[in-house]
Amino acid sequence: MAASSPHHRNLTRPLRIALATGVALVVAGALAAPGAHAVPPQAPAADAAQPRDDFDGDGYADLAVAAPTATVGGKKGAGYVAVLYGSANGLRTSSRQVIHQNTAGVPGGVETGDGFGSALTTADVDRDGYADLVVGAGGEDTDDGGVDAGLVEVLWGGPQGLSGGAKLASGRDTYDGLGSAGRLTAGDVNGDGGPDVVTVENRHDLRVLKGPFGRDGAGAGGEQVVKDVYDSRVLDLAAGDVNGDGLTDIVATENDGDEYDARRVVYWLGNRIALNPFTLVYDIDGAGLQGGENLDVGDVNADGYDDIVVGRAVDGYDSDLDNPFVKGGRVAWIPGTPKGPDGVRAVFLNQDRPGVPGTAESRDGFGTDVHIGDVDGDGYPDVVTGVPGEDLGSVSGAGAVVVLRGTANGLTGTGATTVTQNTATVPGTAEKDDRFGGAVHLGDTDGDGRADLAVGAPGENSGAGSVWYFRSTPTTVVGSAGTFGVGTLGTVAAGAKLGASFTD
């Protein structure tokens, strides 16, 4: 997302330039010491907003990408997180870390199936001026909950990057999966200035860990559990201010009980005492608006109210009936208002809509992931979405990414562009089942005020996975490009699926 992320405006802070210390960060499993980037070659303007994913405080957004199924220390599925640091020239593979539960200072130890990195979010949870990385390990076995109860940890940001960490919460029931994919976000839901961490227990109840947090992981405000009265399953969480009252709200897309293809969008309004019960987003027919599998929150039309963008990648099910533009997957834009999200005014886009590149085909997976950020610097945040099932000529499942433009009237297909491995200047070659676009991310990695694109292709190289990163210009999202994979990181290739997810 962009440097001053619209769906985390309350988490921005004044710019602070990292001071040279001459001390290199030593992290077990790190392949290069981030200390080399402690003093940026050219710092952004002093009045720039601080990126919420700037772990070393130099004013440039950093990139954290997960490989939760990777083998670490001989333990299959233990998982790791790779971090590249931003600079005036964008992301640099020379300043990188690989962090897992055998890394010095990180709680726990690598075990089979832990899934470290199953969910990622960022916030300055200890309010020291540096963004911290909050990591879920949805398959962690815990003393309190037992098998696959799950775990949420924090890795501390600082002038030399990420170093050390603490446990924030562990699952309390068997197979709870605390911190599993899509079930982790952060925001100041009670307006006290301390970022709160929000995760999910029992698959549908919000567990709010109230910050700020001490270095022992203890939250100053305790916890709140917000019960869901329905037998739902939270698929993804995001945070933002959908009614413009200055408090962070939590938004989710859910599966309605055992019905696989039944999706809905719900939100919990922030409150200075406790998070409010959820509200359902309704469509023009007065029914619950059909959601999707993932979402992001940001002010796409720049009217002061954060909007919800939902990606719905599934198609070919009963819920397609009377549901507009679902073939091949779709993206829905739901505008925020003083009364909250307005599903009646929702706009739906798929690859058959005017201006959107490509043709809607079953199982394309358009909408597989969505992220919001201003890629062209025009003041209106844009939306990137993955299309990992896209065929490129005779190459099936090669994958693509589509960039949809934000405007004063909301999200539009007009002027949309597409990026694939066959796009000029993009490294590599499109191959069968690469699934380029399996995950997407936006962040201002070079401090120029435009959000830069990162793309995961978890199917690349027979499932080892790779990541592509680009620097945006006013006219294109692929002004320059680079890529890295398990060879660059020095990690185990088999089944790693690097690029399966980024921070929310």
Side-chain angles (χ1 to χ4, degrees):
M1 66 195 62
S4 57
S5 167
H7 84 267
H8 287 275
R9 291 191 305 267
N10 55 318
L11 297 184
T12 58
R13 57 187 184 274
L15 177 70
R16 58 184 298 170
I17 303 300
L19 300 177
T21 63
V23 179
L25 175 65
V26 179
V27 179
L31 301 181
H37 69 268
V39 179
Q42 179 182 347
D47 59 352
Q50 191 82 351
R52 69 178 289 261
D53 39 6
D54 178 11
F55 305 125
D56 58 358
D58 64 358
Y60 304 103
D62 307 313
L63 179 72
V65 57
T69 64
T71 297
V72 179
K75 304 295 185 180
K76 186 176 181 180
Y80 66 80
V81 177
V83 181
L84 268 65
Y85 288 82
S87 73
N89 297 313
L91 293 174
R92 297 184 296 163
T93 57
S94 60
S95 57
R96 62 187 183 270
Q97 293 174 273
V98 175
I99 304 173
H100 45 69
Q101 287 183 294
N102 276 357
T103 299
V106 176
V110 297
E111 297 171 318
T112 300
D114 275 354
F116 184 79
S118 55
L120 302 174
T121 191
T122 63
D124 181 10
V125 300
D126 59 353
R127 294 196 297 189
D128 68 348
Y130 299 94
D132 308 305
L133 180 62
V134 183
V135 182
E140 180 86 13
D141 299 343
T142 71
D143 293 336
D144 295 337
V147 176
D148 293 348
L151 181 69
V152 175
E153 301 183 341
V154 59
L155 306 177
W156 301 114
Q160 302 299 313
L162 295 172
S163 179
K167 182 181 79 171
L168 297 183
S170 59
R172 295 184 279 220
D173 293 299
T174 302
Y175 306 118
D176 203 3
L178 197 78
S180 57
R183 296 170 181 166
L184 188 63
T185 193
D188 184 8
V189 300
N190 58 5
D192 66 355
D196 310 304
V197 174
V198 182
T199 184
V200 179
E201 66 179 23
N202 301 325
R203 292 176 171 80
H204 54 67
D205 298 333
L206 292 192
R207 185 172 171 184
V208 184
L209 314 175
K210 297 182 179 181
F213 295 86
R215 284 289 168 136
D216 61 354
E223 294 189 11
Q224 177 195 3
V225 175
V226 185
K227 296 286 188 179
D228 189 336
V229 297
Y230 297 101
D231 183 25
S232 56
R233 301 289 183 270
V234 170
L235 303 177
D236 198 16
L237 288 177
D241 186 0
V242 297
N243 63 352
D245 66 353
L247 299 175
T248 301
D249 312 307
I250 304 300
V251 184
T253 183
E254 298 182 336
N255 173 281
D256 189 5
D258 295 328
E259 297 182 58
Y260 167 77
D261 62 317
R263 307 285 194 254
R264 62 183 186 180
V265 181
V266 300
Y267 60 95
W268 297 260
L269 292 176
N271 187 294
R272 296 194 181 276
I273 298 174
L275 202 63
N276 285 302
F278 80 84
T279 302
L280 184 66
V281 176
Y282 294 94
D283 65 16
I284 196 169
D285 296 321
L289 185 143
Q290 272 283 336
E293 297 74 52
N294 67 92
L295 78 165
D296 200 5
V297 179
D299 192 2
V300 172
N301 58 357
D303 66 350
Y305 305 97
D306 283 346
D307 313 315
I308 303 171
V309 175
V310 180
R312 183 187 192 272
V314 302
D315 65 334
Y317 295 91
D318 290 344
S319 60
D320 288 2
L321 300 175
D322 302 319
N323 205 358
F325 312 117
V326 294
K327 185 177 181 181
R330 79 176 184 191
V331 170
W333 171 72
I334 306 167
T337 76
K339 295 182 179 180
D342 185 357
V344 174
R345 293 169 51 205
V347 172
F348 304 102
L349 297 173
N350 74 348
Q351 288 185 289
D352 280 345
R353 299 298 291 157
V356 180
T359 301
E361 300 167 313
S362 295
R363 306 298 189 265
D364 273 354
F366 182 84
T368 289
D369 194 12
V370 293
H371 224 263
I372 299 173
D374 185 1
V375 301
D376 54 9
D378 66 353
Y380 296 100
D382 310 298
V383 174
V384 296
T385 186
V387 197
E390 183 87 333
D391 299 340
L392 300 180
S394 62
V395 182
S396 62
V401 170
V402 172
V403 183
L404 303 167
R405 293 183 59 247
T407 72
N409 295 318
L411 196 63
T412 179
T414 302
T417 57
T418 189
V419 181
T420 75
Q421 287 189 71
N422 288 346
T423 300
T425 76
V426 176
T429 302
E431 298 169 314
K432 181 180 179 181
D433 295 331
D434 276 351
R435 299 196 65 78
F436 182 88
V440 294
H441 182 75
L442 291 171
D444 186 5
T445 61
D446 57 7
D448 66 356
R450 292 183 292 270
D452 305 307
L453 173 65
V455 179
E460 178 81 8
N461 296 328
S462 302
S466 289
V467 175
W468 280 255
Y469 54 95
F470 308 90
R471 292 177 68 188
S472 298
T473 76
T475 58
T476 178
V477 73
V478 290
S480 64
T483 185
F484 66 93
V486 297
T488 301
L489 301 176
T491 53
V492 176
K497 297 183 180 179
L498 177 68
S501 64
F502 299 97
T503 54
D504 70 344

